């Protein structure tokens, strides 16, 4: 079984709405955005190869793309979202604030004792990337429900841009 943590943090890119909070997620103590970054790094590397003047610039741009590709989902829009099962449910959104712009989708399966996230996909790279090498993650249902019911509010994004 995996461990799950939910938390809220302010969207750094939202000076107009300084109190706008988003959902953050940690799986086994690691920010979901970092896990997605690890899974998508080789895919971005292949996609961006040769786009820049040299190898170091390719590497820098790939790393930036990986780190900035997702942000949490807006709190008001997704207050009960993580208790919903479905074929594809967004777990992360785009840093622009419009979750559908660049979502991380996953299949969420609920049973009386577990919640499972599997079949992670980026719908705008479905043909090129297919299912991401991520998960599946299985959480005890009671721990999951407790975590989603009372997420702490952090003062800043725990995974800030470098």
């Amino acid at each position: 079984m995996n461990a799950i943590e939910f938390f809220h943090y302010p969207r750094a890119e939202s000076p107009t709405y300084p109190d706008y909070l988003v959902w953050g997620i940690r799986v086994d103590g690691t920010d979901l955005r970092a896990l997605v970054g690890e899974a998508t790094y080789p895919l971005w590397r292949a996609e961006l190869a040769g786009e820049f003047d040299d190898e170091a610039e390719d590497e820098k741009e790939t790393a930036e793309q990986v780190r900035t590709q997702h942000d949490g989902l807006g709190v008001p829009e997704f207050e009960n979202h993580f208790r919903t099962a479905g074929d594809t449910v967004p777990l992360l959104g785009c840093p622009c604030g419009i979750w559908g712009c660049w979502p991380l989708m996953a299949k969420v399966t609920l049973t009386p004792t577990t919640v499972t996230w599997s079949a992670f996909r980026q719908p705008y790279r479905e043909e090129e990337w297919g299912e991401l090498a991520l998960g599946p993650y299985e959480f005890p249902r009671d721990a999951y429900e407790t975590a989603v019911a009372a997420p702490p509010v952090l003062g800043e994004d725990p995974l800030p841009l470098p």
Side-chain angles (χ1 to χ4, degrees):
M1 288 271 181
N2 299 98
I4 185 76
E5 297 171 65
F6 291 98
F7 51 91
H8 296 321
Y9 62 91
R11 183 183 304 280
E13 302 292 318
S14 186
T16 309
Y17 304 103
D19 296 328
Y20 187 74
L21 298 175
V22 295
W23 285 89
I25 303 167
R26 287 189 190 109
V27 175
D28 297 332
T30 302
D31 196 297
L32 182 59
R33 294 170 295 168
L35 295 170
V36 173
E38 290 173 18
T40 60
Y41 183 83
L43 303 168
W44 280 118
R45 186 89 172 113
E47 194 168 305
L48 297 173
E51 294 230 355
F52 303 97
D53 293 334
D54 61 37
E55 182 79 17
E57 194 173 353
D58 265 356
E59 185 72 24
K60 179 180 173 235
E61 292 298 322
T62 300
E64 184 174 326
Q65 184 65 42
V66 165
R67 171 54 192 97
T68 61
Q69 69 183 325
H70 290 107
D71 204 353
L73 299 172
V75 170
E77 299 93 342
F78 291 93
E79 198 64 48
N80 292 310
H81 169 73
F82 295 103
R83 292 184 178 105
T84 305
D87 287 336
T88 55
V89 174
L91 297 179
L92 294 173
C94 183
C96 77
I98 301 170
W99 73 265
C101 180
W102 188 257
L104 171 69
M105 306 297 285
K107 180 178 181 182
V108 177
T109 306
L110 304 173
T111 73
T113 58
T114 63
V115 177
T116 304
W117 292 353
S118 61
F120 291 86
R121 297 185 180 280
Q122 171 33 256
Y124 298 113
R125 293 293 192 280
E126 188 77 33
E127 288 184 28
E128 300 90 303
W129 294 2
E131 187 173 323
L132 299 177
L134 187 64
Y137 301 116
E138 184 177 59
F139 313 107
R141 179 82 183 254
D142 59 343
Y144 186 95
E145 292 292 344
T146 298
V148 79
V153 177
L154 307 180
E156 62 185 17
D157 185 342
L159 193 65
L161 291 173

